[in-house]
Amino acid sequence: MAESVVYSEVKYKKESNADTGRAGPQIKESPEDDVVYAAVVHKADHTNQPNPPTLPTPADSSPKGSKGIRRHSLLLLAVVVLCILILGTVISLSLYSGCKPGKCNDGWEAHGRQCYFFSTKKKSLNWTQSQEECVHKKSHLAIINDKKEQKLLMMIIRQKMQGPEDKFWIGLNDRQMEGKWLWVDNTPLNTSQKFWLNNEPDNWKWVNNTEYPDGEDCVRMGENNFIANSAAGWVDTACEREFKFICETKACL
């Protein structure tokens, strides 16, 4: 494209002496005395000039760009959650692997990875109070999972019994539904792991000439007629009666 040319012309007329207010000889003006200035302006052609620098464009605000941003945010959130889960698993495994048998609080007895507390209070408690006392100790009434654990506890309480009524509550009951035996953590009693004494449970409503309308819904251990080398030792008893108790928790808690 050719360059554009602009012509402009400006005329200036000389001042007369009359305009200046000065006295002097009068000079006759002629048309030739006018002064003419001419200017020529060239308009540059920018067609061949380099392009101006490109400014950065703002972030894409279109729906497509927003969708990409949301997808990136969700992916980042998923990675963070996964990292937290992995970290929690690692910590849990490290705590468990560092738990050594025999590490229990004072007054507790260690057996494997379990800690047991055998009540020695002169004043006994009913079943509910016994469970509350165990919870206060960050534990629960004993949950017996197999024959080995049952025989272990029977052997220990034999040595602790000092009289015919020196019995111990454990964490088994059928208070919610008669005949449906549950442990304190609401797990059902395994049918292959029942250790009832002879003719138990019988759900008597009269014990020592005292009536218990709800029957016998809680379980204790500790009878003088334990069968030698037998695991049988559970007796259902009215939950209102007061006995000693056995608390249980895991070592290293």
Side-chain angles (χ1 to χ4, degrees), residues 16-24:
S16 65
N17 292 335
D19 294 334
T20 61
R22 295 179 181 178

Side-chain angles (χ1 to χ4, degrees), residues 66-81:
S66 300
K67 185 176 181 181
I69 294 173
R70 288 197 299 270
R71 184 181 300 153
H72 177 74
S73 300
L74 291 174
L75 179 60
L76 181 60
L77 179 61
V79 171
V80 171
V81 172

Side-chain angles (χ1 to χ4, degrees), residues 107-111 115-121 134 137 142 149 152-158 160 168-170 221 244-248:
W108 293 67
E109 298 185 19
H111 298 278
C115 295
Y116 298 97
F117 176 85
F118 297 88
S119 169
T120 56
K121 291 183 178 180
C134 289
K137 297 178 182 296
E149 185 176 12
L152 169 68
L153 295 180
M154 287 180 65
M155 179 186 68
I156 294 173
I157 64 175
R158 277 180 188 275
K160 296 183 179 295
F168 295 80
W169 288 119
I170 61 174
M221 295 174 59
K244 294 182 178 180
F245 53 90
I246 307 172
C247 297
E248 177 185 8

